[in-house]
Amino acid sequence: MTSNIIEFILNNKIHRVSNPDPNETILNFIRVKLKKTGTKEGCAEGGCGACTIVLGELINNNIKYKAINACIAFLPTLNGKQLILVEDLISNDGKLHPVQNAMVKFHGSQCGFCTPGFVMSMFAMYKNHNHLNNEIINDSLSGNLCRCTGYRPIIDAAKSLNKKTDNDKFIKLKKKTISLFKKIKVKNVEIKNENKKYFAPKTIKELKTIIKNNPESKFLSGGTDLSLEVTKARKEIKKIISLNAIKELDFINNKKNEIEVGASTSLLKFEKYIKKYYPDFDSILKRYGSVQIRNVGTIAGNIATASPIGDTLPLLLSLDAKIILDGIKKRELIPLNEFFISYRKTKLKKGQFIYSIKIPIYKKNIFKAYKISKRFDDDISSVCGSFNITIDKNKIKKIKIAYGGMSEIPKRAKNTEKILINSNFSEKIFNKAIKNLEKDYKPIDDMRASKSYRMEVAKNLLMKCFLEIKNKKILRLN
Ligand SMILES: Cc1cc2nc3c(=O)[nH]c(=O)nc-3n(C[C@H](O)[C@H](O)[C@H](O)COP(=O)(O)OP(=O)(O)OC[C@H]3O[C@@H](n4cnc5c(N)ncnc54)[C@H](O)[C@@H]3O)c2cc1C
Ligand code: FES
Ligand code: FES
């Protein structure tokens, strides 16, 4: 059964919107249609956090809270969620929420433009963590920019929330909210709004039927890239197929020394999982956009976008990841190494979608990855380097090196690898290898970095990798 109506919870009531515009952002809907102007618009491209809202989702009979950027989220994606706005934090008797009180007490606001966004990010953090530490606080607030208060009072406000003294209104209303979630029957959504269509199937089978009848549609995962076609490039996307209601695509499996990640698994969920196997993968993801971006963005979206500076791509290439492509024809498994053809061009055919990503777990390897960007948080890479090395009795048995930001596609440094493979692990051989990076890459000049800077950084990262491994070995010997 399909429905052209989306349903969501707002202020403990179910709201319905029939045939919403698939290209309208949640931010526009909140400010213009709901006339709730507490949520602000700053950059309109996911970078400043002024528009942060929180979505509640019912997972295993519990409500999970996600901070997201309303400026780059399409309205129909609200279906089945609880929408929480800054205006809704105040209790019915007019009391400020503990996070708002903390911002007042610690003078965390001056002009106030960024404040609603900070409050909402803090609210999601407050709801999702029982104990706060500096890492959680910095991470939770990394997607919010403030240009007047300075971050110290805001961080102090966040730190003070470690002692939860009060049950907030959302705990008091939890039972009622859960009962409302259960009343919403998430159906297959099929929207027709003037010349635009939006589909949100619930199964892969239904997805394939929709693809067959609408092969020119664009897939929507987290929307952190796709939505910018509307908000920044001012284009219209006529047909969208959302993959987010398909539970079969939201999974992480671990079998036979291989992790398989479903296409609609969020980066944040994956980041928590991968830390145990590849801590450097987690460190890179911590610097990937912000919590708001990683709450919705996916690896599949990063791969399909095929940006030369997509952060997961060099890491996956050096780990020899494979991807499963599905569609109306039969499934195929292809090495990621063969997927990127030229600038933002991939082997994805019309009607084909990424089903999952398979990442090998090596028993004895050393995995290192480094991201170089102008700002530490919430910035895109100038260069990202990733190194997967197996050393046995001081001999380099396996070596896979990949860089982002060094050519029109993210790619392996195969000439450099040839120098290193089966050689002794020594400074001499790494000094020879770094010169070979010039055979592998011809980087470009752009506003992020010059070609000479990029090449210098790539060489230094390979040397850094060598030195870190060498120093660790020396430490172990001592
Ligand atoms: C503020 C901000 C900060 C960012 N920071 C970073 C960063 O630090 N590092 C980085 O690498 N990127 C960054 N990005 C870019 C973006 O987050 C990534 O490209 C992201 O991985 C895209 O994933 P998504 O799920 O949001 O994809 P979407 O936006 O939903 O889709 C992106 C593209 O992939 C296609 N697609 C999506 N899923 C599939 C699928 N399963 N099969 C086939 N095609 C599919 C879509 O049709 C679309 O063309 C940032 C973006 C913003 C707005
Ligand atoms: S308005 Fe800047 S992140 Fe949305
Ligand atoms: S208080 Fe003015 S930008 Fe943050």
Side-chain angles (χ1 to χ4, degrees):
M1 218 174 61
T2 60
S3 168
N4 61 357
I5 298 172
I6 61 156
E7 295 180 275
F8 57 92
I9 302 165
L10 176 64
N11 259 328
N12 273 286
K13 281 193 197 112
I14 296 179
H15 281 247
R16 294 183 177 86
V17 185
S18 94
N19 278 323
D21 179 347
N23 285 185
E24 180 170 12
T25 62
I26 296 180
L27 182 63
N28 195 65
F29 173 75
I30 293 168
R31 290 181 55 87
V32 178
K33 310 264 168 67
L34 296 182
K35 308 249 180 276
K36 295 207 174 203
T37 49
T39 311
K40 302 289 182 261
E41 180 172 40
C43 63
E45 55 179 85
C48 74
C51 66
T52 305
I53 55 165
V54 171
L55 298 184
E57 275 179 52
L58 189 64
I59 298 171
N60 300 332
N61 226 25
N62 209 354
I63 306 172
K64 287 270 170 216
Y65 298 91
K66 280 184 177 177
I68 70 155
N69 295 122
C71 67
I72 53 168
F74 292 135
L75 177 56
T77 60
L78 269 186
N79 195 35
K81 311 264 166 49
Q82 179 188 12
L83 170 63
I84 304 171
L85 304 175
V86 69
E87 289 91 341
D88 307 331
L89 298 199
I90 295 175
S91 66
N92 295 342
D93 55 4
K95 274 196 201 147
L96 292 181
H97 188 273
V99 300
Q100 294 170 307
N101 264 329
M103 284 289 272
V104 174
K105 190 169 164 201
F106 288 87
H107 305 284
S109 173
Q110 279 186 38
C111 79
F113 202 82
C114 66
T115 309
F118 271 103
V119 165
M120 295 313 283
S121 288
M122 259 187 224
F123 169 72
M125 175 186 80
Y126 178 87
K127 298 301 289 175
N128 289 332
H129 298 277
N130 286 330
H131 300 286
L132 302 175
N133 57 34
N134 287 351
E135 190 186 339
I136 295 171
I137 292 170
N138 291 344
D139 201 30
S140 305
L141 301 182
S142 65
N144 294 79
L145 302 183
C146 172
R147 283 293 164 261
C148 9
T149 305
Y151 294 97
R152 196 196 42 78
I154 298 173
I155 302 270
D156 286 347
K159 282 184 181 166
S160 76
L161 294 166
N162 219 349
K163 294 184 198 93
K164 282 188 190 170
T165 47
D166 215 0
N167 274 348
D168 71 0
K169 105 179 199 194
F170 296 88
I171 292 184
K172 290 174 191 151
L173 288 168
K174 189 171 166 187
K175 262 195 182 160
K176 186 171 178 207
T177 313
I178 291 181
S179 75
L180 289 176
F181 267 118
K182 289 182 177 166
K183 275 193 190 146
I184 299 179
K185 296 267 173 285
V186 179
K187 302 179 192 84
N188 286 336
V189 172
E190 221 174 292
I191 292 164
K192 197 165 182 262
N193 180 301
E194 294 177 1
N195 58 344
K196 284 171 252 159
K197 282 188 176 175
Y198 176 96
F199 307 89
K202 285 173 67 185
T203 65
I204 291 182
K205 199 170 163 220
E206 289 151 358
L207 167 68
K208 288 185 181 177
T209 310
I210 294 168
I211 294 174
K212 206 170 170 184
N213 298 329
N214 304 274
E216 69 287 13
S217 306
K218 295 225 167 147
F219 296 114
L220 175 75
S221 286
T224 61
D225 201 79
L226 187 72
S227 61
L228 270 64
E229 284 186 24
V230 176
T231 63
K232 243 191 134 182
R234 307 261 169 210
K235 288 185 190 155
E236 246 187 7
I237 311 178
K238 294 246 162 67
K239 283 190 184 179
I240 295 176
I241 304 178
S242 165
L243 303 175
N244 292 308
I246 306 174
K247 293 220 166 64
E248 294 157 272
L249 290 177
D250 184 2
F251 66 87
I252 303 181
N253 287 334
N254 190 341
K255 273 189 235 150
K256 294 186 191 152
N257 297 325
E258 195 172 64
I259 295 172
E260 185 177 5
V261 191
S264 64
T265 310
S266 75
L267 286 160
L268 207 82
K269 191 168 166 185
F270 173 70
E271 158 189 334
K272 289 187 181 144
Y273 191 87
I274 201 71
K275 188 173 183 178
K276 188 163 103 196
Y277 300 95
Y278 298 124
D280 272 26
F281 211 132
D282 171 63
S283 311
I284 298 290
L285 288 175
K286 281 259 163 359
R287 294 183 51 204
Y288 185 124
S290 58
V291 166
Q292 289 95 317
I293 293 291
R294 297 185 328 264
N295 259 331
V296 291
T298 60
I299 301 188
N302 207 215
I303 293 174
T305 301
S307 160
I309 46 171
D311 276 332
T312 67
L313 311 182
L315 283 69
L316 294 169
L317 286 172
S318 76
L319 288 170
D320 251 344
K322 295 187 175 75
I323 50 176
I324 296 185
L325 304 181
D326 203 352
I328 22 192
K329 296 200 179 128
K330 70 174 193 305
R331 276 190 186 177
E332 50 179 314
L333 175 75
I334 67 164
L336 190 62
N337 251 307
E338 294 168 15
F339 184 65
F340 304 108
I341 302 170
S342 58
Y343 182 69
R344 288 189 179 249
K345 283 223 162 68
T346 70
K347 282 205 174 148
L348 259 188
K349 295 185 203 98
K350 216 176 209 177
Q352 231 179 2
F353 62 92
I354 298 170
Y355 166 78
S356 70
I357 300 100
K358 290 185 160 211
I359 307 165
I361 303 293
Y362 300 92
K363 286 222 171 89
K364 285 186 179 163
N365 75 329
I366 300 167
F367 176 73
K368 292 197 168 282
Y370 313 103
K371 168 171 174 167
I372 305 297
S373 54
K374 284 189 178 168
R375 255 189 349 203
F376 188 84
D377 281 322
D378 204 0
D379 199 2
I380 287 169
S381 293
S382 305
V383 178
C384 183
S386 180
F387 311 93
N388 178 15
I389 309 178
T390 307
I391 304 167
D392 189 23
K393 297 187 184 109
N394 210 41
K395 220 175 201 144
I396 302 170
K397 289 287 180 193
K398 273 193 202 140
I399 175 106
K400 303 274 160 79
I401 301 172
Y403 285 92
M406 292 293 289
S407 61
E408 60 169 3
I409 55 169
K411 67 169 191 169
R412 289 255 304 277
K414 294 207 173 163
N415 286 304
T416 311
E417 289 174 5
K418 271 188 205 148
I419 302 289
L420 292 167
I421 189 83
N422 291 325
S423 298
N424 280 336
F425 181 78
S426 68
E427 188 157 353
K428 193 171 160 204
I429 198 72
F430 271 81
N431 266 324
K432 189 172 169 196
I434 59 172
K435 292 193 186 105
N436 264 266
L437 284 171
E438 289 177 19
K439 284 192 193 156
D440 284 307
Y441 301 107
K442 300 273 172 270
I444 55 156
D445 279 321
D446 68 8
M447 76 313 195
R448 248 175 223 111
S450 67
K451 56 185 172 198
S452 56
Y453 173 82
R454 287 194 153 104
M455 185 49 80
E456 197 64 28
V457 166
K459 288 179 180 175
N460 290 347
L461 292 183
L462 181 54
M463 203 31 115
K464 179 178 164 77
C465 169
F466 164 75
L467 290 170
E468 282 184 2
I469 297 173
K470 187 185 121 189
N471 291 341
K472 205 161 180 195
K473 281 172 82 173
I474 292 170
L475 279 177
R476 232 183 278 138
L477 285 175
N478 290 339

